[in-house]
Amino acid sequence: VKEVQGYAIAPERMTVQQFLERWLADDARSSRYSTHKNYAQICRDHVYPRIGKLLMTRLTKAPVQAILDALHDLKKARNTIRNVRMCLITASDECEKEYPHAYAAIRATKLPKIEKTHRQEVQSFTPEQARTFLAAVEQHRLKALYWTALLLGARRGELLGLRVSDLDLESKTMRITGAAQQQKGKGMVRVPTKT
């Protein structure tokens, strides 16, 4: 008998939602804040409404694949569909022994095939646009931040997480050693960089 949110549940009666809620509670202690937040949102928005009430012991590939296919039909971004599948695969690592059929069902899913489209290329400033932008921020209190963003292309969180100790004025170098991240209930927090 497993305990989920204070209630004892026999393994054969556990629903997909109950299993994922248990997994998310464990995941909160081991994953990065943003990763855990994304997993929780994926479960709430995409998994619970479609297969949350199914029993883990009866989970098959078809309803899991149907989630991915429905997202594709709704023209959701490929990254969204991939992230939903990756969330379920990551959660399934916790159920391999207890629910081997559910584990196999989740692992057997495939990303829907997408038609090749012309991707819109990233638009960078031309040298003239860059000069115009830098002239416009000349008197701004965050002028140095804008220059750094424009010249280095660092992520927003990395720029906001810079500290004086990250700068070496003698060697004219800068190290990105962390990032600033807004976290619910904690405000702005410095976290390790993504890569």
Side-chain angles (χ1 to χ4, degrees), residues 112-173:
K113 186 176 181 182
I114 60 164
E115 303 78 32
K116 289 195 177 190
T117 58
H118 296 295
R119 288 178 48 183
Q120 187 175 1
E121 291 192 27
V122 175
Q123 296 292 316
S124 301
F125 280 169
T126 64
E128 183 57 37
Q129 289 170 326
R131 281 191 286 278
T132 302
F133 173 75
L134 293 174
V137 299
E138 181 62 33
Q139 300 304 314
H140 197 280
R141 67 182 183 86
L142 297 176
K143 170 185 167 183
L145 183 73
Y146 291 129
W147 272 83
T148 306
L150 181 66
L151 297 173
L152 300 181
R155 294 179 176 102
R156 180 179 58 183
E158 294 169 345
L159 291 166
L160 296 176
L162 285 172
R163 299 177 299 188
V164 172
S165 59
D166 294 332
L167 304 174
D168 184 341
L169 298 178
E170 261 185 48
S171 66
K172 298 180 183 173
T173 60

Side-chain angles (χ1 to χ4, degrees), residues 32 158 176-181 183 189-195:
R32 291 172 60 106
E158 294 169 345
I176 294 177
T177 60
Q181 183 181 78
Q183 294 186 1
V189 176
R190 194 162 197 280
V191 298
T193 56
K194 205 168 180 177
T195 56

Side-chain angles (χ1 to χ4, degrees), residues 19-20 23-24 27 31 35-36 38-40 42-43 46-47 64-65 67-68 71 77-95 103 105-112:
F19 169 78
L20 289 172
W23 169 71
L24 284 167
D27 178 71
S31 285
T35 302
H36 174 74
N38 288 339
Y39 285 160
I42 285 168
C43 290
H46 305 296
V47 181
V64 181
Q65 186 66 53
I67 294 173
L68 306 178
L71 292 171
R78 183 153 177 90
N79 281 350
T80 299
I81 301 168
R82 187 196 69 227
N83 290 344
V84 169
R85 182 173 184 267
M86 200 65 236
C87 172
L88 290 170
I89 285 175
T90 303
S92 77
D93 288 341
E94 299 297 315
C95 76
Y103 173 83
I106 292 167
R107 294 284 173 152
T109 60
K110 302 276 187 237
L111 289 175

